[in-house]
Amino acid sequence: MQLEVDIESKTFENAAGGRQHVLAGINFCLGAGEVGVFVGPSGCGKSTMLKILAGLDHDFSGRVSRPAGARLGMVFQEPRLLPWRSVEENVRLVAPHADDAKLSALFTILELNAHRSHFPGELSLGLARRVALARAFAIDPDFLILDEPLASLDEALAARLREQIATLVGSRPVTTLLVTHNLDDAVRLGDRLFFLSARPARILADVPIRTPRNARGDAEIAAIKIDIARRINGDRIERDAS
Amino acid sequence: MLRLLSFTVFLATWWIAALIAGPAKLPPPPIVLAAMMTEARSGALFLNLGVTLARVALAFTLAMSLGSAIGYLMGRVRLANRLGDPWLILLLNLPALVVIVLAYIWAGLTEVAAIAAIAINKLPTAVVTLREGTRALDAALDEMATVFAIPRWRAFRHVVLPQLAPYIAAAARSGLSLVWKIVLVAELLGRPNGVGFEIGVAFQLFDIPLLLAYSLSFAAVVLVIETALVQPFEARLSRWRPRAA
């Protein structure tokens, strides 16, 4: 499934009555099964953009087209689990028809088997993120949105979760949109990188990565990063991302 | 154990007070117990308690379901809130006696009038509590339900209702205590049976043992319902909380 996005502008009315211009020109097209990664400074309007793409906000000028009936899975920045339902119930709530074998496989990949009957309040942030990820994948999404899935996790935990995301995204073709401010994550996970400007956000550069995801060793990743830094004149992005 | 102790303290205080005040004003426990047994043996006690309980159950259910629905609507829809708010303020501040008397005048001394009057007294507090609860709903979870296209009823049951549960419990708790009080007034004013009616009779005859017998039996029933129904219900609702408040 293909995602075509052309957001001309999005403005907010703030409390003082003034207008705030948040998005200025977000125009891209993501092919079926492609992983697009958005990198941009914090507060540039990434979350606003994701809300529009997820169909939660219709008040913008422009156009977003995704095929009707496409299943959307989303991992929000904060996990947004139901605290009064166990981990398994949280996943089953959105995917009532998912069979046990599939859920088991999913829980195994995300190492959640020991936590199935726990309540979200008993989980660490890293675990809760994994549950949110399990929930998004349980519905067999055609289109997946990940809003900073690795933010505020320590390096080791983030690396493991990144591996798990790569495994899941690789296991079936799903058009994925990932937002991050970490260039390293972007280069390791993305097929195409989009660099956003500061607010009002527009796409500064659209950089495809040709090397397949699982063939990217540390050397390739370093090379890709240098290439990106050269393309996007100067080292500004690298400084922001580190 | 602690409950038993506090019950013993209550009995002892009563007995001592009865000795000081004299049996004409405050009869000691055995006399009241005897009155209670006479009423129980004739069946009148259970009949009157049963009738009162039935009225409480009907009025409470009516007020809770209607009040919750209106409260939810007023919390969700701005227009409904604008329209309903003046009525709500009026009902909240209308004395129970006025509602009961008017109900009896307009609908006659009937069962319907009594139950409607009790329900109307309880309704606004349920509306206010549920409106507050609806306003406090987590928009982030609503968004989650929208993104994952959870069907409306399923989302209401699993996402919205658990958030409202503490508010429903609070409305039930405060509403029940309100209904317990008002039902007796309604019975006293216009019903030929029930605990309220019997207390009215006992008052006119100055039969203090009978008055206390009915009051205490009624209080016992209230206590049993609170501990056996309301409290376990609340505990069940909050079992997911790491530490229950």
Side-chain angles (χ1 to χ4, degrees):
Chain A
M1 81 149 256
Q2 188 169 325
L3 177 73
E4 283 172 43
V5 176
D6 181 12
I7 302 171
E8 285 152 21
S9 88
K10 162 77 191 171
T11 53
F12 272 124
E13 202 134 322
N14 60 18
R19 296 183 74 75
Q20 263 179 311
H21 206 186
V22 186
L23 302 177
I26 306 289
N27 189 336
F28 69 95
C29 178
L30 210 55
E34 227 178 350
V35 179
V37 179
F38 281 80
V39 187
S42 356
C44 74
K46 287 177 298 212
S47 292
T48 307
M49 179 187 81
L50 289 188
K51 263 186 146 175
I52 291 174
L53 297 184
L56 290 170
D57 187 347
H58 300 282
D59 179 29
F60 66 97
S61 60
R63 201 174 54 82
V64 173
S65 79
R66 51 185 157 107
R71 278 191 302 274
L72 166 64
M74 184 159 179
V75 175
F76 297 90
Q77 221 173 92
E78 43 335 335
R80 299 200 186 179
L81 302 171
L82 301 179
W84 43 85
R85 293 282 185 269
S86 70
V87 164
E88 185 166 350
E89 286 167 341
N90 260 289
V91 174
R92 284 191 187 274
L93 176 70
V94 300
H97 305 300
D99 58 87
D100 290 345
K102 214 194 77 189
L103 282 192
S104 280
L106 199 54
F107 281 137
T108 307
I109 292 175
L110 290 165
E111 299 167 50
L112 285 169
N113 271 316
H115 304 286
R116 278 179 177 231
S117 58
H118 288 177
F119 285 108
E122 301 167 316
L123 304 178
S124 64
L125 176 65
L127 275 170
R129 282 265 173 74
R130 265 140 66 185
V131 178
L133 209 59
R135 178 172 65 183
F137 274 97
I139 62 168
D140 281 328
D142 303 305
F143 174 34
L144 183 67
I145 296 180
L146 306 171
D147 189 359
E148 305 221 20
L150 305 173
S152 36
L153 298 180
D154 67 54
E155 194 43 57
L157 219 58
R160 218 165 72 214
L161 188 54
R162 194 167 52 215
E163 290 304 313
Q164 290 165 343
I165 292 174
T167 309
L168 288 170
V169 169
S171 64
R172 59 185 295 274
V174 46
T175 309
T176 304
L177 222 145
L178 188 145
V179 156
T180 178
H181 53 254
N182 185 322
L183 186 61
D184 198 52
D185 294 337
V187 173
R188 282 174 197 272
L189 285 171
D191 296 321
R192 266 169 79 194
L193 309 190
F194 300 95
F195 291 91
L196 293 175
S197 71
R199 187 179 273 221
R202 58 194 172 75
I203 295 181
L204 289 175
D206 170 353
V207 183
I209 300 180
R210 310 248 179 255
T211 325
R213 205 171 7 256
N214 45 21
R216 288 174 211 160
D218 285 339
E220 275 95 320
I221 288 183
I224 294 168
K225 277 197 203 166
I226 291 170
D227 179 45
I228 289 169
R230 212 175 25 236
R231 266 189 206 225
I232 304 164
N233 54 61
D235 56 1
R236 193 187 56 79
I237 299 281
E238 269 221 296
R239 205 175 51 230
D240 279 352
S242 57
Chain B
M1 248 343 18
L2 225 55
R3 276 165 192 253
L4 204 68
L5 184 73
S6 92
F7 183 67
T8 321
V9 170
F10 165 70
L11 268 187
T13 318
W14 177 7
W15 216 316
I16 293 165
L19 286 177
I20 296 169
K25 277 198 178 133
L26 181 60
I31 295 178
V32 173
L33 191 67
M36 218 183 265
M37 294 309 280
T38 326
E39 286 297 301
R41 233 173 278 136
S42 76
L45 181 70
F46 301 116
L47 177 80
N48 286 314
L49 277 176
V51 167
T52 303
L53 273 182
R55 284 182 191 129
V56 166
L58 268 171
F60 176 77
T61 316
L62 196 68
M64 273 304 287
S65 40
L66 214 61
S68 301
I70 296 173
Y72 182 70
L73 195 70
M74 285 175 74
R76 281 279 197 202
V77 185
R78 190 185 281 261
L79 180 69
N81 188 41
R82 287 255 185 86
L83 289 175
D85 204 46
W87 290 93
L88 195 60
I89 291 168
L90 177 77
L91 280 179
L92 266 177
N93 296 298
L94 203 60
L97 193 60
V98 174
V99 176
I100 295 168
V101 168
L102 285 179
Y104 280 142
I105 289 173
W106 289 332
L109 294 174
T110 60
E111 206 61 60
V112 174
I115 287 166
I118 301 164
I120 289 171
N121 271 300
K122 192 238 167 307
L123 185 78
T125 59
V127 172
V128 169
T129 313
L130 263 292
R131 180 176 65 176
E132 236 26 75
T134 307
R135 283 174 179 166
L137 287 176
D138 189 350
L141 291 180
D142 272 353
E143 286 187 353
M144 186 279 292
T146 311
V147 164
F148 282 99
I150 302 175
R152 207 173 255 258
W153 168 244
R154 234 173 118 70
F156 183 75
R157 216 186 112 198
H158 297 282
V159 181
V160 173
L161 216 48
Q163 294 183 70
L164 293 179
Y167 293 88
I168 293 173
R173 161 62 62 80
S174 73
L176 201 56
S177 61
L178 193 69
V179 170
W180 290 133
K181 288 171 192 157
I182 292 166
V183 69
L184 296 197
V185 180
E187 286 175 345
L188 177 77
L189 286 174
R191 295 280 72 216
N193 50 23
V195 175
F197 170 76
E198 289 297 334
I199 287 176
V201 171
F203 173 59
Q204 279 160 22
L205 302 175
F206 232 72
D207 187 345
I208 298 173
L210 186 67
L211 199 153
L212 285 179
Y214 270 103
S215 311
L216 291 177
S217 316
F218 183 68
V221 169
V222 173
L223 262 178
V224 167
I225 288 180
E226 283 277 331
T227 47
L229 287 175
V230 179
Q231 285 175 9
F233 175 67
E234 280 183 330
R236 211 191 108 71
L237 286 181
S238 55
R239 96 202 123 94
W240 57 272
R241 287 180 208 274
R243 229 171 285 114

